[in-house]
Structure formats: C-alpha cells, structure tokens
Amino acid sequence: MNNAVAAFLGKHNFPVHMDVNPVIDALLFDMHEGLSGRPAAQDMIRTFCNPPAKRAAGESVIVIDAGGTNFRSCLVTFDQQGKAVIDFMEKTRMPGIERELSRREFFDQFAENLEHLKDKSANIGFCFSYPMTITEDGDGILLGFSKEIKAPEVVGCHVGKELAQTLAAHGWQKKVHISMLNDTVAALLAGAACPDEGNRYSSYIGFILGTGMNGAYIQPADSRYKGLKEQIIVCENGKFDKAQRSDFDVAYDRKSVKPGSSLLEKMCSGAYLGPVSYEVIHTAAEEGLFSRKFAESLLAINSLTLIEMDAFLHAPFGTGSILGAKAAESATMEDYDTLHQLLDAVVERSARFTAALLSACVIKSGRGTNAAEPVCILCNGTTFFKTYKIRSRVEGYLDELLVRQRGLFYEIISRDNDITLGAAIAGLIGK
C-alpha cells in the first residue's frame, strides 16, 4: 500500500491489515454472553435441532424458500441411496410485496402458491429468511419483516401453525409436519447431509456471505449455559457491534434505512460493500488523493454497487464498469493504483472479518482437533465466491488463525441447491 493511501485510511480510522485475533476474542465473548442469556449483539438463537444421524432415504419433502422478494417451492425426493431429486420447482412473488395483507390474506396466498404441491408430502421444510424465534417443536415465531413485506398482523404469530391450518382449510388431506429454519441452518444441514465419498467431519457450520451475512454452528452441551443441549445455534453475526468502524462506515450508516443496526453486516456483505466504497472514494477525491480531472469525474458519481467496484478490481483497464470508463477518460497511472488500493482495502477488511466469524464458530464448536475429521464449513453467497479475492484470502487467514495458531482443522465446501436440500433435511427432523 502506498504511503498516501495508508495515511488517508489511518486518518479516517479504517484499519489497514487488521489483526484478526482481537476480533475473534470479542466475538467469542459476545457469543458467550448471548448463550448465557445476557445482553449481546449477536442473537444466538437456539434451534433445538441437530443434523440427522443417517441419510434421508425413500422420503419426499415439500420445500418452501421464502425471503426477500421471491417465494420458491418444490418437492425434494430422496432415493434409497439418499440422492436428492428436485421436482415441481416454481418461483413467484413473496406475499405482501404489492400491498398490505391481513394475516388471513397472507397465508391464503401461501396456500395458493403451494397448490401445485398439494398432498405430495406430509413433510414441509420451510426456510423463512426473516427474524424469528424457533420453538422446541420446530415452529417459528415471527419477530418482524423487512420493509418490503407489508403484513403487520403476521408478526408475533407461529408461522408453521398458521400455515398448517391454512393448508387444511384449502383442502389438503394430509396433516402436515412443518419445520421452520433460516438459510444458515439450511446451509449447515446441506453440508451434513451431502459429504463427499470417503470424507468425515467432526462438526458443521453454515455461513452466508451474499447480500447479507450470517452464520450457524453446532454448540455442544455446556454446563455454563443452563439447560443448553447440543444443538444448532444461529448467531446473527451481522448484528455484531464491537468492531472498529471507520468514518466511512459511520457516514454510510447515517444514510441507511435503519441507522445503528446490522453494523458488521454493513462493513462486510454484498449489499453494503459498494456504498461504503463510494464513501471511501468520494472522500478521497475531496481530499486530493487523485488528479484534479479524475477527482472531478469521481465526484460526479452518485452511487456505487458491489458489481461496479468488483468489476474494476477484476479488470481495472476495462471500460465496462463505471469506474473503468471514467478512469479510461482521465486517470493517471497513479490514479489507477490509488483507486485499486482503496477498493481492495474494503474487500480485504471484509475477508478478515469473515475469517474472524468463521474462526469463532469453529472454536465454539469444540471440534476440528483431528486433521482427518475437520469441521465442515458450507459457504453460500456470491459475495463469498465471486468478489475479488475474498475466498482465497479467507482460506489463507483461516489456515493461519485456526490450523497454525490453534491446531484446529476445517474444510470449506459448496453444494448446488444447498438451501433447498438443507430445508428438505429439516423437513424430516422430528417428524
């Protein structure tokens, strides 16, 4: 990193080559407080479930994946060898997008969306990507929707119970068993259900780094946490608020829809890397880090997405991105270097925080001490797999933080249709 960039970032409290171990320690403390029932930034949600002891075989499960703007549904059938086949996949709009719905209208639309799957199975795995409290019978109590969904009467209800009653009212003959989960639990279960031939894992982690970020791990029974049996814990990592924030993070947070919330997510995930980078380069242009003409060109940009910043990092001399096009018109070679280093610093920080989160989950699992049976980390999300050098950097940091420093072993994997498969597995738990 050149001296001017390092000085600029330091001036604005942006950590350069951040030491990850103190972040791990802070995360572990916060996780401990949450599991102990004391105030914590991460919610540490108990799920009361674990991966099944054996593979699913000869079973069919209806899968619902509802979150954001899309409602997906399908039938997953496991053959006698446990191989999954996905049929009857349909995608439609999430109820409550177009207009405000009552509770009855909301669940009636769910039933209409599932009409093509009526009575194809009595088991339903429901991946519901909104904050909820999981109950011991596998249901979920909705805590709130994001701003896009307008169905206030649904908040506080038992989603699985309401859906089961609505399906019966719509003529379903089978009494359905519904298991509620979120996408991180689905990712974890997919990793546990689909190991490569010849591999064994000592524990499992599900991690999402896409538009948002979150993680789940298997917490062993621990006498420090009253009544806690071994089970999957959802961490809500994006809410962690004890990491150093730069001036750029503070500036963007003030402009965001919900200031003061999801602070770590706003520093790491795909929805925010572009806007935070905009704050970085806009400030740099104002403070003289670029040549005058190129600075004026950058200041004319009104916003920046991850796609645009990532395109420049992958191909700085390409003109297909807004930054590449503006650089081609007026940037000096020093400008190219400065812009690339600034954007790369934002991505690098995301990789280090991601490594800290994954390290904390591995450490809390209490497993991974045998190299032949590492902890399996199933990662999901285009930010993790596609953004400039994030995956390779995360793996490099984990090798240092876990393997060399702590003697803990891990393996990062991915699976096609992981959320669908994990939700299907959940639909068979406790039936």
Side-chain angles (χ1 to χ4, degrees), residues 1 18 23 61 75 102 112 120 133 136 150 166 193 201 210 244 248 272 284 293 314 333 337 400 410:
M1 182 173 290
M18 175 184 74
V23 181
V61 187
L75 184 73
S102 66
E112 291 169 12
K120 293 188 182 300
T133 299
E136 291 197 48
K150 298 174 284 292
T166 304
Y201 298 108
Q244 177 184 337
F248 317 118
Y272 305 108
K293 198 168 182 181
H314 276 103
M333 285 306 298
D337 179 49
E400 175 61 30
Y410 75 96

Short mmCIF file of all heavy atoms in Angstrom, two decimals, residues 1 18 23 61 75 102 112 120 133 136 150 166 193 201 210 244 248 272 284 293 314 333 337 400 410:
data_model
loop_
_atom_site.label_atom_id
_atom_site.label_comp_id
_atom_site.label_asym_id
_atom_site.label_seq_id
_atom_site.Cartn_x
_atom_site.Cartn_y
_atom_site.Cartn_z
N MET A 1 0.86 -1.19 0.00
CA MET A 1 0.00 0.00 0.00
C MET A 1 0.89 1.24 0.00
O MET A 1 1.83 1.34 0.78
CB MET A 1 -0.92 0.00 1.23
CG MET A 1 -1.87 1.17 1.28
SD MET A 1 -3.08 1.00 2.63
CE MET A 1 -4.07 -0.36 2.02
N MET A 18 -5.74 -5.38 9.42
CA MET A 18 -6.30 -5.53 10.76
C MET A 18 -5.88 -6.85 11.41
O MET A 18 -5.88 -7.90 10.77
CB MET A 18 -7.83 -5.49 10.62
CG MET A 18 -8.62 -5.75 11.86
SD MET A 18 -10.39 -5.78 11.45
CE MET A 18 -10.52 -7.37 10.63
N VAL A 23 -10.52 -9.53 17.18
CA VAL A 23 -11.92 -9.60 16.72
C VAL A 23 -12.52 -10.95 17.10
O VAL A 23 -13.67 -11.03 17.55
CB VAL A 23 -12.01 -9.37 15.20
CG1 VAL A 23 -13.46 -9.42 14.74
CG2 VAL A 23 -11.38 -8.05 14.81
N VAL A 61 -40.16 -34.51 0.52
CA VAL A 61 -40.38 -33.34 1.37
C VAL A 61 -40.76 -32.15 0.48
O VAL A 61 -40.12 -31.91 -0.55
CB VAL A 61 -39.11 -32.97 2.17
CG1 VAL A 61 -39.42 -31.85 3.16
CG2 VAL A 61 -38.54 -34.17 2.88
N LEU A 75 -40.67 -29.95 -4.68
CA LEU A 75 -40.70 -31.23 -3.99
C LEU A 75 -39.32 -31.86 -4.11
O LEU A 75 -38.77 -31.97 -5.21
CB LEU A 75 -41.74 -32.17 -4.62
CG LEU A 75 -41.91 -33.52 -3.91
CD1 LEU A 75 -42.63 -33.33 -2.59
CD2 LEU A 75 -42.66 -34.51 -4.81
N SER A 102 -53.72 -8.78 5.36
CA SER A 102 -54.08 -9.25 6.69
C SER A 102 -53.40 -10.60 6.92
O SER A 102 -52.84 -11.20 5.98
CB SER A 102 -55.59 -9.42 6.82
OG SER A 102 -56.04 -10.47 5.97
N GLU A 112 -52.09 -20.69 -1.94
CA GLU A 112 -52.25 -20.63 -3.40
C GLU A 112 -50.92 -20.91 -4.10
O GLU A 112 -50.89 -21.60 -5.13
CB GLU A 112 -52.79 -19.26 -3.79
CG GLU A 112 -54.23 -19.02 -3.36
CD GLU A 112 -54.66 -17.58 -3.52
OE1 GLU A 112 -53.92 -16.80 -4.18
OE2 GLU A 112 -55.72 -17.20 -2.98
N LYS A 120 -48.53 -33.80 -1.88
CA LYS A 120 -47.43 -34.60 -2.42
C LYS A 120 -46.51 -35.10 -1.30
O LYS A 120 -45.69 -35.98 -1.51
CB LYS A 120 -46.64 -33.80 -3.47
CG LYS A 120 -47.44 -33.52 -4.74
CD LYS A 120 -46.59 -32.92 -5.82
CE LYS A 120 -47.41 -32.60 -7.07
NZ LYS A 120 -48.05 -33.79 -7.66
N THR A 133 -38.07 -16.46 16.37
CA THR A 133 -37.67 -17.31 17.48
C THR A 133 -38.13 -18.73 17.19
O THR A 133 -39.32 -18.94 16.91
CB THR A 133 -38.29 -16.82 18.81
OG1 THR A 133 -37.84 -15.50 19.07
CG2 THR A 133 -37.89 -17.74 19.96
N GLU A 136 -39.42 -25.25 20.49
CA GLU A 136 -38.90 -26.62 20.63
C GLU A 136 -39.57 -27.61 19.70
O GLU A 136 -39.01 -28.67 19.40
CB GLU A 136 -39.03 -27.08 22.09
CG GLU A 136 -38.09 -26.34 23.03
CD GLU A 136 -37.92 -27.05 24.36
OE1 GLU A 136 -37.67 -28.27 24.35
OE2 GLU A 136 -38.03 -26.37 25.40
N LYS A 150 -45.39 -6.21 3.64
CA LYS A 150 -46.41 -5.44 4.36
C LYS A 150 -47.50 -6.40 4.84
O LYS A 150 -48.48 -6.66 4.14
CB LYS A 150 -46.98 -4.36 3.45
CG LYS A 150 -45.94 -3.33 2.99
CD LYS A 150 -46.49 -2.35 1.99
CE LYS A 150 -46.62 -2.97 0.60
NZ LYS A 150 -45.32 -3.28 -0.02
N THR A 166 -54.02 -23.16 7.46
CA THR A 166 -54.48 -22.61 6.19
C THR A 166 -54.49 -23.68 5.10
O THR A 166 -55.43 -23.74 4.28
CB THR A 166 -53.59 -21.43 5.77
OG1 THR A 166 -53.57 -20.45 6.81
CG2 THR A 166 -54.10 -20.78 4.48
N ALA A 193 -25.59 -33.38 5.23
CA ALA A 193 -26.32 -34.42 4.51
C ALA A 193 -25.62 -34.91 3.25
O ALA A 193 -25.92 -36.00 2.77
CB ALA A 193 -27.71 -33.91 4.13
N TYR A 201 -16.60 -35.56 8.85
CA TYR A 201 -16.41 -34.27 9.51
C TYR A 201 -16.80 -34.38 10.98
O TYR A 201 -17.69 -35.14 11.35
CB TYR A 201 -17.27 -33.19 8.82
CG TYR A 201 -16.89 -32.98 7.38
CD1 TYR A 201 -17.72 -33.42 6.35
CD2 TYR A 201 -15.70 -32.35 7.03
CE1 TYR A 201 -17.38 -33.22 5.02
CE2 TYR A 201 -15.34 -32.16 5.70
CZ TYR A 201 -16.19 -32.60 4.70
OH TYR A 201 -15.84 -32.41 3.39
N GLY A 210 -23.57 -13.07 1.20
CA GLY A 210 -24.14 -12.65 -0.08
C GLY A 210 -24.60 -11.23 0.08
O GLY A 210 -23.83 -10.35 0.47
N GLN A 244 -14.20 -2.15 15.19
CA GLN A 244 -13.86 -0.76 14.89
C GLN A 244 -14.50 -0.33 13.58
O GLN A 244 -14.35 -0.96 12.55
CB GLN A 244 -12.34 -0.61 14.78
CG GLN A 244 -11.90 0.80 14.40
CD GLN A 244 -10.40 0.91 14.22
OE1 GLN A 244 -9.64 0.10 14.75
NE2 GLN A 244 -9.95 1.90 13.46
N PHE A 248 -16.02 6.19 7.18
CA PHE A 248 -16.83 5.84 6.01
C PHE A 248 -18.03 4.98 6.42
O PHE A 248 -19.13 5.16 5.90
CB PHE A 248 -15.98 5.11 4.98
CG PHE A 248 -14.63 5.72 4.76
CD1 PHE A 248 -13.47 4.99 5.03
CD2 PHE A 248 -14.51 7.03 4.33
CE1 PHE A 248 -12.22 5.55 4.86
CE2 PHE A 248 -13.25 7.60 4.13
CZ PHE A 248 -12.10 6.86 4.41
N TYR A 272 -23.63 -3.82 0.97
CA TYR A 272 -23.04 -2.61 1.54
C TYR A 272 -21.61 -2.31 1.08
O TYR A 272 -21.14 -1.19 1.26
CB TYR A 272 -23.06 -2.71 3.07
CG TYR A 272 -24.44 -2.98 3.62
CD1 TYR A 272 -24.76 -4.23 4.16
CD2 TYR A 272 -25.43 -2.01 3.57
CE1 TYR A 272 -26.04 -4.48 4.65
CE2 TYR A 272 -26.71 -2.27 4.06
CZ TYR A 272 -27.01 -3.51 4.59
OH TYR A 272 -28.27 -3.77 5.07
N ALA A 284 -11.89 10.47 -0.68
CA ALA A 284 -10.52 10.54 -1.23
C ALA A 284 -10.44 11.58 -2.34
O ALA A 284 -9.44 12.32 -2.45
CB ALA A 284 -10.10 9.17 -1.75
N LYS A 293 -8.62 16.27 -12.51
CA LYS A 293 -9.63 15.90 -13.51
C LYS A 293 -10.33 14.60 -13.13
O LYS A 293 -11.55 14.46 -13.24
CB LYS A 293 -8.98 15.77 -14.89
CG LYS A 293 -9.96 15.83 -16.03
CD LYS A 293 -9.23 15.98 -17.36
CE LYS A 293 -10.24 16.08 -18.50
NZ LYS A 293 -9.57 16.21 -19.81
N HIS A 314 -11.43 -6.53 -10.71
CA HIS A 314 -11.07 -7.65 -11.58
C HIS A 314 -10.43 -7.20 -12.89
O HIS A 314 -9.57 -7.90 -13.44
CB HIS A 314 -12.32 -8.49 -11.90
CG HIS A 314 -12.64 -9.50 -10.85
ND1 HIS A 314 -13.66 -9.33 -9.93
CD2 HIS A 314 -12.08 -10.70 -10.55
CE1 HIS A 314 -13.71 -10.39 -9.14
NE2 HIS A 314 -12.76 -11.22 -9.48
N MET A 333 -1.77 6.86 -14.23
CA MET A 333 -1.44 5.53 -13.69
C MET A 333 -1.42 5.55 -12.16
O MET A 333 -1.79 4.57 -11.52
CB MET A 333 -0.08 5.07 -14.23
CG MET A 333 -0.11 4.62 -15.68
SD MET A 333 -1.36 3.33 -16.00
CE MET A 333 -0.77 2.03 -14.93
N ASP A 337 -3.69 3.17 -9.56
CA ASP A 337 -3.10 2.47 -8.42
C ASP A 337 -3.83 2.84 -7.13
O ASP A 337 -4.20 1.97 -6.32
CB ASP A 337 -1.62 2.83 -8.31
CG ASP A 337 -0.94 2.15 -7.13
OD1 ASP A 337 -1.10 0.92 -6.99
OD2 ASP A 337 -0.27 2.84 -6.34
N GLU A 400 -3.94 -19.73 8.91
CA GLU A 400 -3.07 -19.15 9.94
C GLU A 400 -3.76 -19.17 11.30
O GLU A 400 -3.19 -19.63 12.30
CB GLU A 400 -2.70 -17.72 9.56
CG GLU A 400 -1.90 -16.97 10.63
CD GLU A 400 -0.56 -17.61 10.96
OE1 GLU A 400 0.03 -18.26 10.05
OE2 GLU A 400 -0.10 -17.48 12.11
N TYR A 410 -10.26 -27.39 9.30
CA TYR A 410 -11.53 -27.05 8.67
C TYR A 410 -11.47 -27.39 7.19
O TYR A 410 -10.40 -27.58 6.61
CB TYR A 410 -11.81 -25.54 8.82
CG TYR A 410 -10.95 -24.73 7.88
CD1 TYR A 410 -11.44 -24.31 6.64
CD2 TYR A 410 -9.63 -24.42 8.19
CE1 TYR A 410 -10.63 -23.61 5.75
CE2 TYR A 410 -8.82 -23.72 7.33
CZ TYR A 410 -9.32 -23.31 6.10
OH TYR A 410 -8.53 -22.63 5.22
#
